[in-house]
């Protein structure tokens, strides 16, 4: 056993010993009039895994659907109109494009480190998760960014699958919500002679494979359900499932987890995800990558994290708690978030990345002419 494996195993054991409860709190249904009041609690107590929790999760996934959220706002006697709510939210989380000069002013003379989610950020959300391809123009933009700044992809997807989509060797990849991280050897920012592979949930791999097979079998009767094995995370996609079947699907997932207290259920965009209960997430992955790059305690480093999902909030929160870094949420609709800025869709993400490239090139040129 290598020294690295010893360290990883020790972290895994310690994390499991201090693991949180089974279920992460799903997003609450709100009118959107008070973002501060709607910030969710981090964990639910796993006291009751019966119909109560099933109904709670069903209501949560309905509330998180843009069409449901919109209809709820229109039908409820809301104090503010939908347009007013959008305007209020934009004031709190302005566009990273309209505030680009403000962002670059805060990063002038400092080292930017880029962190990018994949689905919904670099690629559009599609019905078939196997078809979530990024455009060639987006790939070119990310490649340009990576030439100027250390850049990492942090995704809930399996790391190897994300690499198949992105196909850029100059990036750092963190898959399975940061539970599978690879730092290449001998990069511009790391001088390590060997690649670093960090998998704090490695002992859960046999169980995750077992859960994947079980869910494939139990969800077979539900048209449109798709189960994806993301190595240290099993994702159950219901984007193509008729809403009348959502309750049955949730019940099947919850029922399976009753006998596995070492696993927890989280929710993304039209997806339920089963993960180990270790205290590791995208925020922890961000911190690990900063440390691997030698930037952990550097006050002249500005991490920029761009993501669209509920799971990206862990990274946004880390940046906010550090008081160092910029979180950018990708969303067309108002959401409770720890991010400081927003972008509406992947096209705007690409525009922001290209603006950043041009700004950096101009800065380098101006410096060379001094």
């Amino acid at each position: 056993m290598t020294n690295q494996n010893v360290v990883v195993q020790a972290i895994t054991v310690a994390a499991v010993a201090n693991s949180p409860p089974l279920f992460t709190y799903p997003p609450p249904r709100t009118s959107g009039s008070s973002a501060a009041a709607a910030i969710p609690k981090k964990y639910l107590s796993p006291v009751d895994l019966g119909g109560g929790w099933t109904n709670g999760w069903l209501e949560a996934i309905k509330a998180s659907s843009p069409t449901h959220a919109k209809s709820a706002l229109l039908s409820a006697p809301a104090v503010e109109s939908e347009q007013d709510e959008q305007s209020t939210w934009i004031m709190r989380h302005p566009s990273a494009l309209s505030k680009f000069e403000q962002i670059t002013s805060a990063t002038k003379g400092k080292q930017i480190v880029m962190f990018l989610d994949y689905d919904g950020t670099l690629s559009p959300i599609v019905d078939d998760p196997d078809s979530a391809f990024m455009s060639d123009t987006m790939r070119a933009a990310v490649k340009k960014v990576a030439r100027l700044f250390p850049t990492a992809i942090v995704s809930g997807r399996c790391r190897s699958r994300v690499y198949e989509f992105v196909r850029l060797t100059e990036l750092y990849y963190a898959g399975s919500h940061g539970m599978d991280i690879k730092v290449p050897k001998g990069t511009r920012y790391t001088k390590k002679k060997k690649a670093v592979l960090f998998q704090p949930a490695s002992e859960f791999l046999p169980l995750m494979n077992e859960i994947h097979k079980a869910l494939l079998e139990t969800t077979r009767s539900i048209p449109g359900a798709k189960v994806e094995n993301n190595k240290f995370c099993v994702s159950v996609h219901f984007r193509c499932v008729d809403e009348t079947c959502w309750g049955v699907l949730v019940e099947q997932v919850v029922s399976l987890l009753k006998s596995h207290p070492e696993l927890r259920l989280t929710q993304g965009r039209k997806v339920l995800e089963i993960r180990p209960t270790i205290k590791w997430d995208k925020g922890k992955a961000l911190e690990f990558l900063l440390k691997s790059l030698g930037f952990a305690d550097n006050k002249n480093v500005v991490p920029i994290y761009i993501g669209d999902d509920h799971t990206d909030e862990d990274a946004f929160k880390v940046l906010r708690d550090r008081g160092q870094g910029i979180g950018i949420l990708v969303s067309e609709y108002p959401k409770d978030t720890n991010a400081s800025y927003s972008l509406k869709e992947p096209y705007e993400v690409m525009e922001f990345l290209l603006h950043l490239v041009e700004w950096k090139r101009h800065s380098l040129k101006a410096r060379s002419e001094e």
Side-chain angles (χ1 to χ4, degrees), residues 171-199:
L171 272 58
Y172 307 95
Y173 292 88
S176 301
H177 298 288
M179 288 182 283
D180 188 9
I181 302 175
K182 186 172 183 180
V183 180
K185 65 178 181 180
T187 68
R188 177 180 173 186
Y189 301 97
T190 60
K191 307 303 179 183
K192 299 181 183 297
K193 295 182 180 179
K194 293 184 179 180
V196 174
L197 183 62
F198 183 70
Q199 298 176 332

Side-chain angles (χ1 to χ4, degrees), residues 13 45 104 119 128 174 185 194 198 238 266 272 344 360:
V13 172
S45 171
T104 53
D119 292 275
D128 181 5
K185 65 178 181 180
K194 293 184 179 180
F198 183 70
F238 57 92
T266 60
L272 294 172
K344 289 184 178 180
K360 183 63 175 180

Side-chain angles (χ1 to χ4, degrees), residues 34-76:
S34 175
I39 297 174
K41 295 178 181 178
K42 192 168 185 182
Y43 298 111
L44 280 179
S45 171
V47 175
D48 176 14
L49 298 181
W53 289 135
T54 301
N55 292 337
W57 278 95
L58 181 58
E59 287 302 308
I61 63 178
K62 286 182 179 180
S64 67
S65 169
T67 54
H68 276 274
K70 186 174 181 179
S71 63
L73 285 171
L74 292 176
S75 62

Side-chain angles (χ1 to χ4, degrees), residues 111-117 122 134 138-139 141-154 166 168-174 181-184 187-189 289-290 293 295 302-306 353 356-357:
Q111 172 68 62
I112 292 175
V113 184
M114 292 298 305
F115 295 90
L116 303 166
D117 179 35
L122 299 181
M134 67 190 300
M138 177 66 88
R139 181 175 292 103
V142 174
K143 188 178 181 70
K144 290 176 182 178
V145 167
R147 285 176 177 171
L148 296 170
F149 314 102
T151 303
I153 305 292
V154 186
V166 179
L168 293 175
T169 58
E170 51 267 68
L171 272 58
Y172 307 95
Y173 292 88
I181 302 175
K182 186 172 183 180
V183 180
T187 68
R188 177 180 173 186
Y189 301 97
L289 284 165
L290 284 176
L293 295 170
F295 297 141
V302 180
I304 298 179
Y305 190 105
I306 307 178
L353 295 178
L356 204 60
V357 168

